[in-house]
């Protein structure tokens, strides 16, 4: 049974930090690209950060570059999103996503249940 379980969300003041964690099980974690998405109220889902299966390549949305860091531990089947210098516009539900291209246009996509991040004074 595939599971992605996020944790670490909460309420933080502007300028503060949060560390989101996603624990994966039920699939070959080390074969998957791992992503963090977010969705703010009334807006579409936005890709925030991505890390390659071996952890060697990371990508970030322009809005979070220099403030967020994505990392993974393939031995522990865990992906982390370290969020610093948080802004009110970072308020959203954050989702962990596992993605693998299977070729021939097919793709596996798994999603966590989401964790709320609220940045407010």
């Amino acid at each position: 049974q595939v599971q992605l379980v996020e944790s670490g969300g909460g309420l933080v003041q502007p300028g503060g930090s949060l560390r989101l964690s996603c624990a994966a099980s039920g699939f070959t974690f080390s074969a998957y690209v791992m992503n963090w998405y977010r969705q703010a109220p009334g807006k579409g889902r936005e890709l925030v950060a991505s890390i390659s299966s071996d952890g060697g390549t990371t990508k970030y949305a322009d809005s979070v570059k220099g403030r967020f860091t994505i990392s993974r531990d393939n031995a522990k089947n865990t992906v982390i999103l370290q969020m610093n210098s948080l802004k009110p516009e970072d308020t959203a539900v954050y989702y962990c996503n596992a993605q693998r291209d299977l070729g021939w246009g097919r793709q596996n996509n798994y999603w966590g249940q989401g964790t709320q991040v609220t940045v407010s004074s």
Side-chain angles (χ1 to χ4, degrees):
Q1 180 184 359
V2 171
Q3 280 195 311
L4 292 173
V5 180
E6 300 101 334
S7 60
L11 173 64
V12 63
Q13 291 187 343
S17 297
L18 281 176
R19 184 175 183 267
L20 304 185
S21 180
C22 174
S25 60
F27 63 100
T28 306
F29 181 78
S30 60
Y32 281 70
V33 171
M34 296 301 297
N35 305 302
W36 284 97
Y37 284 80
R38 68 186 180 186
Q39 187 165 19
K43 295 188 177 181
R45 196 166 289 192
E46 173 191 21
L47 178 60
V48 174
S50 179
I51 187 165
S52 59
S53 57
D54 65 358
T57 301
T58 56
K59 296 179 182 178
Y60 298 92
D62 287 343
S63 58
V64 306
K65 277 181 184 176
R67 300 187 298 121
F68 290 12
T69 303
I70 188 171
S71 61
R72 68 188 293 162
D73 185 337
N74 284 350
K76 296 182 179 178
N77 288 4
T78 302
V79 61
I80 302 294
L81 185 68
Q82 178 67 43
M83 305 187 295
N84 299 328
S85 302
L86 282 161
K87 304 175 181 180
E89 51 263 43
D90 295 318
T91 295
V93 178
Y94 283 71
Y95 296 92
C96 178
N97 164 257
Q99 184 180 62
R100 183 182 183 186
D101 288 325
L102 303 177
W104 298 98
R106 299 175 302 149
Q107 194 176 69
N108 271 354
N109 257 299
Y110 304 130
W111 291 91
Q113 81 288 351
T115 186
Q116 176 70 46
V117 171
T118 302
V119 185
S120 175
S121 55

